[in-house]
């Protein structure tokens, strides 16, 4: 039987009630949280206020994803290219994970959320990494929603690291070229253990993937919205999932 979940909230640019069936909920949703800076600028506020509000939107998206029965939620929190930003902004962004976890970890544990991370740990400040590792450890046995932060993450770096691992394994005589297939690659990416995203959401009107999960997004459905990330709420997630459910996924085949 198809259970109907209704989103009753009507927002100004979508007055229709959104209808979502529980039968076809995307298993993995990945989000490029864009537009923090522009949101703040529009209000005449410093960029960091946008990031601070973006952190609250992370909480809203997590709760909404969990309520819908989404199993994996990956959030692009800091890319390998974001180091190019002014030091003050980078320092602020690097404090957000621990601030978020200080406020939200207890509730996330109660909700059985498992926290994960992908990205290069070596480049992260100790305080950021310590906070993430503590949360990962404390939630490792939870089997609810997997909240996966992409932190100091870059898709090209991830693939390059995988290729370099292949080279080392071959050099050491532990791997033969014929043994390399897409499963081997998947097993050696930072997202190992997670299915590919079914749905990619990007906010702020930009329509690009910005070095995010380049391998894993091969057949993901893409959903873009003009709203800035700090404005994102449960209704936007419902809109994205409703649109996802109207799509036909063919994976290169015929429907
Ligand atoms: C892009 O917007 C956003 C980022 C580079 C940072 C995203 C981080 C958060 C939303 C907070 C993360 C929270 C946790 C819990 C880790 P932008 O600053 O590039 O916006 P702009 O394009 O308008 O300048």
């Amino acid at each position: 039987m198809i259970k109907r979940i209704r989103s009753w909230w009507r927002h100004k640019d979508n007055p229709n009630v959104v209808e979502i069936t529980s039968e076809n909920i995307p298993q993995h949703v990945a989000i490029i949280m864009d537009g923090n800076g522009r949101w703040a600028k529009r209000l005449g506020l410093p960029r960091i206020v946008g990031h601070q509000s973006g952190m609250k939107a992370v909480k809203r998206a997590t709760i909404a994803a969990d309520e819908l029965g989404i199993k994996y939620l990956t959030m692009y929190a800091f890319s390998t290219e974001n180091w190019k930003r002014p030091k003050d902004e980078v320092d602020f962004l690097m404090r957000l994970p621990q601030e978020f976890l200080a406020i939200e970890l207890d509730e996330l544990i109660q909700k059985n959320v498992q926290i994960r991370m992908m990205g290069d740990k070596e480049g992260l400040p100790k305080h950021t990494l310590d906070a993430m590792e503590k949360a990962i450890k404390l939630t490792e046995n939870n089997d609810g929603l997997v909240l996966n932060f992409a932190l100091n993450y870059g898709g090209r770096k991830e693939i390059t690291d995988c290729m370099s691992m292949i080279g080392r394994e071959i050099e050491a005589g532990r791997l033969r070229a014929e043994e390399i297939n897409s499963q081997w690659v998947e097993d050696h990416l930072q997202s190992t253990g997670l299915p590919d995203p079914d749905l990619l959401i990007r906010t702020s009107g930009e329509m690009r993937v910005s070095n995010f999960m380049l391998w894993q997004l091969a057949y993901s459905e893409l959903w873009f919205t003009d709203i800035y990330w700090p404005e994102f709420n449960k209704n936007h997630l419902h809109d994205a999932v409703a649109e996802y459910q109207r799509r036909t996924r063919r994976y290169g085949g015929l429907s």
Side-chain angles (χ1 to χ4, degrees):
M1 201 185 99
I2 297 175
K3 187 172 146 222
R4 300 265 173 209
I5 300 167
R6 276 171 182 273
S7 164
W8 295 108
W9 191 82
R10 294 153 192 257
H11 44 107
K12 62 181 183 333
D13 51 359
N14 182 4
N16 302 316
V17 172
V18 177
E19 202 158 275
I20 297 169
T21 161
S22 60
E23 282 216 324
N24 185 23
I25 298 291
Q27 201 189 3
H28 185 174
V29 174
I31 306 186
I32 302 178
M33 309 181 280
D34 197 10
N36 294 347
R38 278 164 286 165
W39 178 85
K41 189 174 173 202
R42 195 174 63 190
L43 297 174
L45 298 167
R47 290 179 57 80
I48 56 167
V49 180
H51 296 314
Q52 187 80 35
S53 295
M55 186 185 82
K56 294 182 185 145
V58 171
K59 164 80 180 298
R60 289 196 294 275
T62 304
I63 300 298
D66 192 34
E67 281 170 7
L68 270 187
I70 289 165
K71 186 74 186 88
Y72 305 90
L73 182 64
T74 294
M75 316 295 267
Y76 203 6
F78 194 89
S79 77
T80 44
E81 287 68 40
N82 287 151
W83 297 106
K84 295 177 202 157
R85 295 186 176 208
K87 186 176 179 308
D88 283 357
E89 183 170 342
V90 169
D91 288 348
F92 189 85
L93 284 167
M94 285 297 150
R95 281 197 299 273
L96 280 185
Q98 69 198 93
E99 186 178 336
F100 175 80
L101 292 166
I103 301 168
E104 308 295 353
L105 187 57
D106 286 348
E107 188 181 336
L108 295 175
I109 290 173
Q110 267 175 26
K111 290 195 178 297
N112 198 21
V113 170
Q114 183 189 117
I115 294 177
R116 286 186 51 151
M117 185 202 134
M118 59 183 195
D120 285 342
K121 291 181 176 176
E122 303 84 60
L124 292 174
K126 188 175 179 312
H127 62 87
T128 313
L129 187 57
D130 285 353
M132 286 305 302
E133 288 192 325
K134 181 179 159 217
I136 291 167
K137 184 91 196 116
L138 280 171
T139 62
E140 67 186 348
N141 295 319
N142 291 356
D143 59 3
L145 172 81
V146 174
L147 176 59
N148 180 37
F149 287 105
L151 208 52
N152 195 19
Y153 171 85
R156 287 185 173 179
K157 174 77 167 44
E158 178 185 40
I159 292 170
T160 308
D161 285 351
C162 183
M163 289 163 81
S164 136
M165 198 183 307
I166 289 174
R168 284 196 306 274
E169 289 297 294
I170 289 180
E171 260 176 25
R174 290 191 292 262
L175 184 69
R176 286 177 297 121
E178 325 61 278
E179 291 176 288
I180 302 160
N181 52 27
S182 54
Q183 188 60 55
W184 196 97
V185 175
E186 271 164 41
D187 291 345
H188 294 82
L189 293 175
Q190 293 169 359
S191 58
T192 182
L194 271 58
D196 289 343
D198 300 295
L199 173 64
L200 172 75
I201 294 174
R202 182 171 188 149
T203 54
S204 92
E206 308 289 357
M207 295 189 194
R208 51 180 174 258
V209 293
S210 300
N211 202 15
F212 188 45
M213 302 190 86
L214 298 180
W215 172 281
Q216 299 89 338
L217 291 176
Y219 282 103
S220 307
E221 296 298 324
L222 311 182
W223 189 81
F224 300 103
T225 172
D226 285 340
I227 63 129
Y228 294 140
W229 176 249
E231 302 168 307
F232 193 88
N233 63 35
K234 138 182 181 172
N235 303 290
H236 301 110
L237 184 69
H238 288 190
D239 286 347
V241 171
E243 168 64 25
Y244 168 84
Q245 295 190 338
R246 289 192 287 272
R247 307 255 180 104
T248 306
R249 302 184 76 187
R250 290 190 292 277
Y251 300 93
L254 302 176
S255 55

